[in-house]
Amino acid sequence: MATPSIEDVIGQSQHHGWLARVTSRQTFWIFLAAIIACVLLSLVTDTFATERNLFNVTRNFAFVGIIALGMTTVIASGGIDLSVGSSVVLSAIVVGTTMAAGFPIYVAVPLAIGAALCVGLLNGVLIAYAQMPPFVVTLGTLAVARSLAMVLSGNKMIYEFGPDHDLLLGLGGGSMVGIANPVYFLMILAVLTGLSYRWTRWGQHVFAVGGNETAAGMTGIRVARVKVSVYMFSAFTAGVTGVLEVGWLGGVTTNLGQSMELTVIAAAVIGGATLAGGSGTALGAVVGAALIEVIRNSLILLGISTFWQGTFVGSFIIIAVAIERMRSLRQNA
Amino acid sequence: MPILELRGISKHFGAIQALKEVSFTVEPGEVVGLMGDNGAGKSTLVKIIAGNFRPSAGKILIAGAEMAFDSPLAARGEGVEVVYQDLALCDNLTAAANVFLGREITRKIAGIPIVDHRAMMIRAAELFAELKSETRPRDLVHDMSGGQRQAVAIARTRLAESKIVLMDEPTAAISVRQVAEVLDLIMRLRDHGIAVILISHRMPDVFSVADRVVVMRRGQLVANKPSASSSPEEVTGLITGAIEAA
Ligand SMILES: Nc1ncnc2c1ncn2[C@@H]1O[C@H](COP(=O)(O)OP(=O)(O)O)[C@@H](O)[C@H]1O
Ligand SMILES: [Mg+2]
């Protein structure tokens, strides 16, 4: 037998052929499900495939998708972030109050994202250095951040944004060549996140920490720093979303982003991030968010009460985790 | 000059005294079999040499120079490499990614350091070939046999210019054929002048490769002698305490 060349050896893997590789990915099936749902909705309703509705769907899914990128990163590292919805409202209220006080947008937006990053830093430090469970820490900051937003705004609606009012509304509410601005933010962030996962040491380390934290530590990876970074990234995505949502809504109240964490976690999990850590993709986060929004939209279009939304989102999380569980049981058998 | 010298190493975990004044030396290219019952302190000693723990008392000298490692990275910088008992692998990553974990090869594109997967695959494939292992760099560790995992953990120690390789129970969970492979590898490391400390419960393995045996009992060193002048029976007696010291 001829000795295989190095080229042969590195070309080999347990996945044979691109078709097998593609169909072995959850993202592929979720994408297919989203497409089928879209086709069915276009056939069943005459309101789905309208320009107006598609514009709304893509914009709404962009908000969930942007944060799902941050959430996927946190989940890939073996954690969870329940505070994202509150970081959204904190960022939105900070941008709102500072602009209402007459500050320009280029001061207000960094302040807003900075406020969200503070929440992420607090999460990260408590989880990584004080070694507290992520679930508890981020449940705590979920309450704290929303309460701070209420204190800051006096729990009043803000809809006058000072001299740069139009700029803020244009940023989140505007569109370019028929596509809503938040969708561009989603696409840019998704590409950057995907590239970071694969091509940076940080990305490698996030997945290593999620796969086996002890092993990662023993090889010299600075596990605590990696953890702080993922919670800050998650908070950053929430901060960006907060700014964009104010612009879209044209006003902000303190119930913005309420229970958004569940939708975002569902999007990440449906997109292939396993809650045990160590897996997840940027594309999966985007596709997961898309599927959820299409289904949410279909409930509305089909005249089903939106009270059912929670049932769908909650069931999604549980079903996705159940599938994950069955898969790992089968592999260990 | 010994490559590694331990002088009076002690370690407490709260009230537990895991190590009590352990001293011995290891020469370059020497294979030392470190033996002892469960809880004797072998893993703790390895972790101290590797920079995972600080000793409560005592000194570590590498090639005559005193060291105070505050991290595994610092120890690795001085040529100390470890194959851990649980192998310390990330199941969700490829073999190549595991080999390079924490020291990924990067190249700069527009000033940004980018992980060079290709270079890591090639180097990992070379290392596996050198170890005569059929491990494929692109495969996920999750799907690998015990022997392949072992090869990944050992390939990791071959990346750097290591002087000392510490192996904690490398042959615990693998098949007989794979044990032979690991023992071959230890001999190959020795031929490169690398010192190996091998922890194992398997008497035949130790006596087939070790130049010297060091026996520990309840945190203390009870024997340190050439394997040629000892025997599995004597070592068993030393481990259990049937023989006080040798
Ligand atoms: N991180 C730790 N914290 C507390 N006690 C420990 C720790 N690591 C080891 N020990 C204790 O130190 C002793 C020696 O353990 P170890 O070095 O693992 O032994 P061996 O590897 O020889 O089986 C045991 O009593 C063990 O319980
Ligand atoms: Mg041990």
Side-chain angles (χ1 to χ4, degrees):
Chain A
M1 193 183 80
T3 335
S5 74
I6 292 286
E7 289 295 320
D8 292 339
V9 173
I10 69 170
Q12 287 170 359
S13 81
Q14 70 266 54
H15 298 298
H16 297 289
W18 66 269
L19 193 66
R21 213 176 325 177
V22 167
T23 53
S24 73
R25 292 214 176 265
Q26 188 169 336
T27 310
F28 169 78
W29 296 107
I30 297 301
F31 185 66
L32 204 65
I35 297 288
I36 291 171
C38 287
V39 171
L40 284 180
L41 280 170
S42 321
L43 296 176
V44 175
T45 72
D46 43 12
T47 38
F48 179 79
T50 61
E51 202 181 317
R52 187 73 228 154
N53 188 55
L54 289 178
F55 181 83
N56 282 332
V57 168
T58 52
R59 183 191 50 210
N60 292 347
F61 116 73
F63 293 136
V64 172
I66 290 171
I67 310 178
L69 293 169
M71 186 65 75
T72 296
T73 313
V74 171
I75 293 177
S77 81
I80 192 86
D81 186 352
L82 303 179
S83 67
V84 286
S86 299
S87 297
V88 167
V89 75
L90 182 63
S91 157
I93 291 289
V94 168
V95 85
T97 44
T98 45
M99 287 182 69
F103 288 96
I105 192 167
Y106 60 83
V107 173
V109 168
L111 271 180
I113 291 174
L117 284 174
C118 286
V119 177
L121 180 65
L122 182 64
N123 285 338
V125 167
L126 290 178
I127 292 162
Y129 292 98
Q131 311 206 334
M132 295 164 70
F135 192 89
V136 178
V137 170
T138 59
L139 189 61
T141 51
L142 172 149
V144 171
R146 185 168 299 277
S147 142
L148 288 180
M150 289 175 177
V151 171
L152 212 58
S153 65
N155 212 13
K156 285 197 194 67
M157 179 163 179
I158 306 165
Y159 48 86
E160 287 289 351
F161 301 110
D164 285 344
H165 183 92
D166 293 339
L167 274 176
L168 181 68
L169 267 54
L171 188 66
S175 65
M176 289 186 287
V177 289
I179 294 173
N181 287 349
V183 178
Y184 291 102
F185 280 88
L186 172 65
M187 290 194 298
I188 292 167
L189 279 172
V191 168
L192 288 180
T193 306
L195 289 177
S196 305
Y197 283 175
R198 171 112 182 108
W199 298 105
T200 68
R201 297 187 74 200
W202 173 78
Q204 295 283 298
H205 295 176
V206 166
F207 284 81
V209 168
N212 186 342
E213 190 178 324
T214 324
M218 287 202 266
T219 62
I221 291 175
R222 307 215 184 265
V223 174
R225 281 192 213 173
V226 171
K227 285 191 180 180
V228 171
S229 75
V230 299
Y231 288 96
M232 290 190 69
F233 179 56
S234 166
F236 171 77
T237 59
V240 169
T241 304
V243 170
L244 295 175
E245 281 211 75
V246 185
W248 164 53
L249 294 166
V252 53
T253 63
T254 50
N255 54 26
L256 180 70
Q258 204 132 42
S259 72
M260 195 171 183
E261 59 281 345
L262 278 184
T263 314
V264 170
I265 291 169
V269 168
I270 290 169
T274 50
L275 289 174
S279 66
T281 61
L283 183 64
V286 174
V287 172
L291 181 65
I292 287 204
E293 183 51 31
V294 167
I295 289 185
R296 208 178 70 92
N297 187 245
S298 71
L299 294 183
I300 297 166
L301 297 184
L302 296 172
I304 300 168
S305 162
T306 50
F307 295 159
W308 283 103
Q309 257 184 54
T311 305
F312 274 88
V313 170
S315 307
F316 263 147
I317 297 184
I318 294 173
I319 292 169
V321 172
I323 292 173
E324 180 186 326
R325 179 92 192 105
M326 283 189 299
R327 212 179 273 160
S328 73
L329 282 180
R330 200 166 20 155
Q331 274 171 353
N332 293 339
Chain B
M1 189 200 296
I3 185 69
L4 173 70
E5 181 172 358
L6 302 178
R7 284 193 197 154
I9 301 285
S10 296
K11 178 73 184 174
H12 311 271
F13 293 107
I16 301 172
Q17 176 132 38
L19 294 173
K20 209 154 142 196
E21 301 201 3
V22 175
S23 305
F24 65 90
T25 60
V26 184
E27 299 294 327
E30 189 180 29
V31 180
V32 174
L34 178 58
M35 313 194 63
D37 206 348
N38 279 335
K42 308 176 300 289
S43 295
T44 304
L45 188 63
V46 161
K47 285 180 178 157
I48 286 174
I49 302 170
N52 291 107
F53 294 152
R54 292 275 207 130
S56 307
K59 284 185 181 147
I60 301 172
L61 288 82
I62 302 236
E66 195 178 326
M67 299 289 157
F69 299 135
D70 54 4
S71 74
L73 224 52
R76 203 191 261 168
E78 296 295 332
V80 179
E81 293 280 342
V82 195
V83 177
Y84 290 96
Q85 188 162 11
D86 47 18
L87 300 184
L89 300 178
C90 293
D91 276 4
N92 58 326
L93 303 182
T94 63
N98 267 285
V99 169
F100 285 90
L101 207 57
R103 43 185 161 181
E104 294 79 8
I105 301 178
T106 57
R107 70 199 155 94
K108 292 220 160 136
I109 294 180
I112 303 163
I114 298 295
V115 174
D116 193 341
H117 289 284
R118 208 187 132 68
M120 300 199 306
M121 292 282 175
I122 292 173
R123 184 78 186 103
E126 286 168 2
L127 289 171
F128 293 137
E130 196 183 303
L131 304 184
K132 299 198 166 57
S133 164
E134 281 158 15
T135 310
R136 294 174 302 204
R138 213 183 272 284
D139 283 1
L140 292 181
V141 166
H142 183 97
D143 306 323
M144 289 185 176
S145 70
Q148 288 178 318
R149 292 164 157 264
Q150 200 67 49
V152 173
I154 292 170
R156 201 185 259 176
T157 71
R158 299 292 300 128
L159 274 185
E161 279 306 305
S162 50
K163 298 178 201 153
I164 305 165
V165 172
L166 309 168
M167 294 186 162
D168 196 347
E169 309 262 10
T171 55
I174 57 179
S175 73
V176 174
R177 190 178 77 92
Q178 290 160 345
V179 168
E181 283 174 23
V182 172
L183 297 180
D184 270 356
L185 175 75
I186 291 173
M187 289 189 262
R188 232 164 282 153
L189 293 177
R190 178 190 59 197
D191 296 343
H192 282 93
I194 296 167
V196 178
I197 299 183
L198 169 66
I199 297 182
S200 176
H201 279 115
R202 298 166 55 111
M203 218 55 85
D205 296 354
V206 173
F207 276 89
S208 72
V209 290
D211 303 304
R212 207 145 49 79
V213 288
V214 169
V215 183
M216 293 180 59
R217 192 168 66 237
R218 282 194 243 119
Q220 279 178 299
L221 189 140
V222 291
N224 176 4
K225 62 196 292 190
S227 47
S229 64
S230 183
S231 67
E233 293 72 27
E234 184 185 39
V235 170
T236 307
L238 286 161
I239 290 173
T240 58
I243 305 173
E244 196 53 46

